[in-house]
């Protein structure tokens, strides 16, 4: 609240100025981030950051004990309440190990962890009651998140400290994701085995939840039934719902029960300078899931997680469509992902739509997929106006770029190392188009360098709703197998080089209006450059300069014919 001070005399002026300074909002110098808004392809309003009163409170002064054993839940609550009553400020967590139960942020609070501070949430699951929340795009009963805020504004979590969710007390583990010694030690530590002893749960309540429904969102009839499997209903670690002007700047967020950080229906969100970590085997161990949020910047972060790293969502199926809030106006720059199912991901819960997204200057190292778009029939929603550039990727097991409209909730790589993709060269029956049909269009990718162990890329739409208006420009993709385009329309590949080890460099199946220019591929050992498959494939524009021996380098299969080609 702004206070208007009137001058009442020269003697009082110094006192009034001192009071005004003490009660004013602090505006400490902030590093210039104008570069984040450079070279954007759409109108992007500048994200508003929270500003806090120049007031701080140290939890040590409230009696917090930094021994890693004493529960400090009441101290954190007291500090937040005290600052909130005064109009807000910074709650300082000094060096030490602080154990706590759930912490709920309020408006105008900056939770600041100093160097050497470790906030660790308790592994006593009884401290986390069931609450009405959201998970995987739907309303759901979940255990209370360790750190949360609902309907607040001007909130922040800052500083160089660490926030640890004690996720191993919550998460199941699949045998196939561990070495033999790791699995033996885990089983010997206690817990419960299910699924023919191939899956471990930390408690019987959690195991019973899996027995009743292997879905993460079990559909039960009563609250009492949910309570009986409470431990199975793992929370996201940081849940921010319907909040305005949110800043996450500096901390390490690690070891979450489910997703790590989940902003939902938030406006003006800044995520920068974070380290986000989870064990690579962590079930649903996402890094950052931005859902139905507007005006967001994400930059200078490092991710090393067990599922998708940077993921955009907007609700699932009917609930997501009825919510109708897209994720829009988002800039993602200068992030590094060391491990994850996907480096940058949209979906699969995208029923409210995703639009106006810029991603650039990122590095993905060993992610199962680099750039990942995923959805399924039943979702509905439109993903459009996505711009991705200057991405470097190494050691990608499946594809550096994947569009998959047949996503079934499985990881890109199954436990035996095989791909979870359906066959991409089989005729699939088209369904009737309805509000449940997802649409991906107007997506532009350029300046890509990648190597991997699977396919160069996969662009796959639906027979009834083609992947539409996608461009890939200036890309060098090295992989054992080539680049497949399936059920797509109006696709442009410009200056794309595929260094494949076997089969054709490019395969087109049931696709139309495909422009291919300045293509390069591995021609050693008589490898083909292009395979045209399916009678519906047509309107393929090629440059003669790209094919020195087209009779040997281009093959027609599965009903395709040469009339599909348009030479220039």
């Amino acid at each position: 609240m702004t206070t208007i001070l009137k001058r009442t005399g020269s003697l009082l002026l110094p006192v009034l100025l001192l009071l005004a300074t003490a009660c004013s909002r602090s505006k400490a110098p902030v590093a210039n981030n104008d570069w984040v808004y450079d070279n954007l392809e759409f109108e992007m309003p500048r994200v508003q950051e929270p500003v806090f009163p120049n007031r701080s409170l140290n939890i040590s002064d409230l009696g917090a004990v930094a021994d890693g054993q004493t529960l400090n839940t009441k101290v954190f609550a007291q500090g937040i309440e005290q600052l909130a009553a005064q109009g807000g400020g910074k709650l300082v967590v000094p060096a030490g190990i602080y154990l706590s139960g759930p912490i709920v942020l309020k408006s105008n609070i900056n939770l600041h962890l100093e160097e050497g501070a470790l906030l660790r949430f308790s592994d006593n699951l009884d401290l986390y009651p069931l609450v009405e929340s959201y998970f995987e795009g739907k309303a759901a009963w979940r255990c209370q998140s360790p750190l949360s805020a609902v309907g607040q504004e001007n909130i922040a979590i800052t500083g160089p400290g660490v926030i640890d969710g004690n996720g191993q007390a919550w998460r199941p583990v699949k045998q196939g994701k561990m070495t033999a010694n790791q699995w033996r030690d885990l089983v010997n530590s206690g817990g419960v085995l299910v699924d023919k002893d191939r899956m471990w749960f930390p408690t019987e309540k959690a195991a019973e939840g899996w027995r009743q429904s292997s879905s993460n969102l079990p559909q039960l009839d009563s609250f009492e039934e949910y309570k009986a499997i409470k431990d199975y209903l793992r929370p996201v670690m940081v849940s921010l719902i319907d909040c305005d002007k949110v800043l996450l700047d500096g901390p390490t967020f690690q070891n979450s029960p489910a997703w790590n950080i989940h902003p939902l229906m938030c406006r003006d969100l800044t995520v920068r300078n974070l380290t986000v970590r989870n064990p690579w085997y962590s079930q649903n161990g996402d890094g950052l899931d931005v859902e139905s949020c507007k005006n967001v910047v994400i930059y200078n972060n490092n991710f090393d997680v067990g599922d998708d790293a940077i993921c955009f969502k907007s609700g699932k199926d009917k609930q997501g469509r009825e919510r109708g809030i897209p994720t829009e106006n988002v800039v993602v720059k200068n992030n590094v992902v060391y491990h994850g199912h996907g480096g940058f991901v949209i979906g699969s819960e995208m029923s409210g739509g995703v639009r106006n997204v810029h991603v650039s200057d990122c590095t993905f190292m060993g992610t199962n997929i680099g750039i990942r778009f995923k959805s399924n029939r039943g979702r509905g929603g439109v993903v459009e106006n996505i711009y991705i550039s200057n991405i470097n990727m190494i050691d990608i097991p499946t594809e550096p770029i994947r569009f998959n409209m047949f996503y079934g909730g499985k990881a890109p790589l199954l436990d035996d190392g095989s791909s979870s993709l359906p066959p991409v060269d089989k005729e699939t029956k088209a369904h009737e188009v309805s509000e449940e049909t997802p649409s991906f269009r107007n997506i532009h990718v350029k300046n890509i360098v990648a190597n991997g162990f699977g396919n160069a890329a996969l662009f796959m739409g639906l027979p009834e709703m083609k992947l539409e208006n996608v461009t890939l420009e200036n890309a060098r993709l090295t992989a054992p197998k080539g680049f497949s385009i399936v059920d797509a329309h109006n696709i442009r590949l410009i200056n794309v080089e595929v260094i494949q080890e076997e089969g054709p460099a490019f395969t087109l199946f049931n696709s139309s209006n495909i422009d291919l220019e300045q293509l390069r591929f591995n021609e050693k050992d008589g490898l083909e450059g292009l395979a045209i498959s399916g009678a519906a494939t047509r309107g393929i524009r090629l440059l003669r300069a790209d094919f020195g021996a087209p009779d040997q380098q281009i093959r027609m299969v599965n009903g395709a014919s040469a009339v599909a080609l348009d030479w220039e």
Side-chain angles (χ1 to χ4, degrees):
M1 181 179 295
T2 302
T3 303
I4 300 175
L5 298 175
K6 296 182 179 179
R7 183 173 179 177
T8 57
S10 58
L11 292 177
L12 290 178
L13 184 58
V15 176
L16 294 173
L17 289 174
L18 180 62
L19 289 172
T21 301
C23 296
S24 67
R25 300 262 171 189
S26 172
K27 294 189 178 180
V30 176
N32 186 296
N33 68 344
D34 289 346
W35 61 274
V36 175
Y37 299 89
D38 289 344
N39 304 315
L40 301 185
E41 299 83 358
F42 49 87
E43 289 291 328
M44 174 72 184
R46 198 170 186 96
V47 173
Q48 298 182 58
E49 296 188 12
V51 180
F52 302 95
N54 189 17
R55 180 185 299 112
S56 64
L57 179 62
N58 194 305
I59 63 168
S60 294
D61 296 335
L62 298 174
V65 180
D67 62 359
Q69 303 295 322
T70 302
L71 202 61
N72 292 284
T73 314
K74 292 182 179 179
V75 174
F76 280 100
Q78 178 186 346
I80 290 169
E81 289 288 346
Q82 186 171 323
L83 281 172
Q86 297 172 338
K90 181 189 294 184
L91 184 63
V92 178
V93 183
I97 304 175
Y98 300 89
L99 187 69
S100 180
I103 296 173
V104 179
L105 293 178
K106 292 193 171 184
S107 294
N108 304 314
I109 300 297
N110 176 7
L111 179 63
H112 182 82
L113 287 83
E114 293 186 334
E115 188 78 47
L118 169 57
L119 168 57
R120 193 176 203 204
F121 288 100
S122 173
D123 61 0
N124 180 358
L125 307 193
D126 292 337
L127 298 177
Y128 305 87
L130 284 180
V131 296
E132 292 182 279
S133 188
Y134 298 85
F135 191 58
E136 293 188 342
K138 291 187 174 183
W141 287 106
R142 310 301 292 183
C143 290
Q144 182 176 348
S145 288
L147 188 51
S148 65
V150 179
Q152 305 300 302
E153 63 179 342
N154 289 315
I155 58 175
I157 306 170
T158 64
V162 178
I163 298 175
D164 186 293
N166 232 328
Q168 72 282 351
W170 296 87
R171 293 188 304 263
V173 178
K174 293 180 178 179
Q175 182 180 13
K177 293 186 175 183
M178 286 190 152
T179 66
N181 287 341
Q182 289 173 328
W183 181 251
R184 180 198 63 215
D185 292 343
L186 180 66
V187 172
N188 289 341
S189 71
V192 180
L193 292 174
V194 298
D195 192 22
K196 300 179 181 179
D197 292 348
R198 295 177 300 190
M199 193 170 187
W200 176 91
F201 281 89
T203 70
E204 174 57 34
K205 270 189 178 182
E208 180 57 27
W210 183 90
R211 294 188 194 104
Q212 291 190 31
S213 170
S214 57
S215 163
N216 285 327
L217 295 171
Q219 302 300 306
L220 305 179
D221 294 328
S222 69
F223 180 71
E224 291 304 315
E225 288 178 289
Y226 283 104
K227 283 180 64 177
I229 61 165
K230 173 180 168 295
D231 297 358
Y232 183 68
L233 306 175
R234 294 174 289 139
V236 301
M237 185 168 78
V238 180
S239 174
L240 306 170
I241 302 175
D242 191 27
C243 294
D244 290 281
K245 288 186 280 190
V246 177
L247 172 65
L248 306 178
D249 184 3
T252 294
F253 294 87
Q254 67 176 35
N255 200 17
S256 54
W259 298 347
N260 215 312
I261 304 169
H262 182 208
L264 170 63
M265 297 183 289
C266 293
R267 281 79 52 189
D268 290 304
L269 168 68
T270 301
V271 180
R272 64 180 178 228
N273 306 319
L274 304 185
T275 298
V276 182
R277 302 173 62 242
N278 261 330
W280 78 269
Y281 54 82
S282 57
Q283 197 72 12
N284 311 113
D286 294 33
L288 172 66
D289 291 274
V290 176
E291 180 175 351
S292 295
C293 292
K294 184 175 183 179
N295 301 338
V296 181
V297 289
I298 301 166
Y299 60 95
N300 294 349
N301 303 287
N302 292 330
F303 295 85
D304 191 347
V305 295
D307 207 309
D308 291 330
I310 304 169
C311 188
F312 293 173
K313 302 176 181 289
S314 61
K316 185 175 182 179
D317 300 344
K318 183 180 179 181
Q319 285 192 28
R321 295 192 299 271
E322 290 179 345
R323 180 198 299 166
I325 303 176
T327 288
E328 61 182 329
N329 300 343
V330 188
V331 178
V332 180
K333 286 191 174 183
N334 199 36
N335 299 281
V336 177
V337 180
Y338 294 98
H339 185 273
H341 288 180
F344 170 74
V345 182
I346 294 180
S348 72
E349 305 93 353
M350 38 59 68
S351 302
V354 179
R355 65 192 180 207
N356 297 346
V357 173
H358 172 103
V359 181
S360 64
D361 302 303
C362 294
T363 301
F364 306 146
M365 294 182 279
T367 57
N368 289 356
I369 302 172
I371 300 165
R372 185 183 192 190
F373 298 85
K374 56 181 179 175
S375 187
N376 210 338
R377 288 168 172 146
R379 294 284 190 269
V382 178
V383 173
E384 62 184 346
N385 304 337
I386 313 297
Y387 305 89
I388 302 173
S389 61
N390 305 329
I391 309 295
N392 294 313
M393 297 175 266
I394 62 170
D395 301 335
I396 308 298
T398 57
E399 294 96 8
I401 308 172
R402 176 190 285 188
F403 291 82
N404 177 17
M405 302 303 109
F406 291 91
Y407 176 72
K410 297 178 181 178
L413 282 179
L414 301 179
D415 294 343
D416 62 3
S418 62
S419 174
S420 61
L421 273 177
V424 298
D425 58 351
K426 304 292 185 183
E427 292 283 354
T428 303
K429 183 179 179 181
H431 289 200
E432 183 178 349
V433 174
S434 71
E435 66 175 5
E436 298 183 354
T437 308
S439 174
F440 285 66
R441 66 195 184 199
N442 304 334
I443 298 169
H444 308 284
V445 184
K446 65 180 181 180
N447 304 334
I448 305 295
V449 177
N451 72 65
F453 313 122
N455 305 306
L458 172 66
F459 287 13
M460 181 167 63
L462 293 170
E464 66 272 16
M465 183 63 72
K466 306 293 189 184
L467 178 65
E468 187 172 10
N469 296 339
V470 178
T471 62
L472 175 62
E473 183 175 3
N474 303 332
R476 191 176 195 273
L477 309 173
T478 303
K481 297 182 180 179
F483 188 141
S484 296
I485 299 176
V486 182
D487 287 317
H489 178 70
N490 282 348
I491 308 297
R492 296 189 69 196
L493 305 186
I494 305 168
N495 190 29
V496 175
E497 181 178 14
V498 171
I499 310 300
Q500 83 281 20
E501 297 176 6
E502 60 180 270
F506 301 90
T507 299
L508 310 181
F509 181 71
N510 283 356
S511 296
S512 58
N513 290 17
I514 312 296
D515 284 359
L516 307 176
E517 52 186 278
Q518 301 177 52
L519 298 186
R520 296 182 304 281
F521 50 89
N522 185 6
E523 301 181 41
K524 295 179 180 179
D525 302 320
L527 293 177
E528 295 170 333
L530 178 62
I532 309 293
S533 178
T537 300
R538 64 187 184 278
I540 312 304
R541 190 176 71 88
L542 304 174
L543 299 184
R544 294 189 183 278
D546 293 341
F547 296 89
D551 290 343
Q552 289 78 44
Q553 294 171 328
I554 301 176
R555 177 164 52 103
M556 302 290 174
V557 297
N558 297 331
S561 69
V563 298
L565 305 182
D566 182 9
W567 288 98
E568 293 187 8

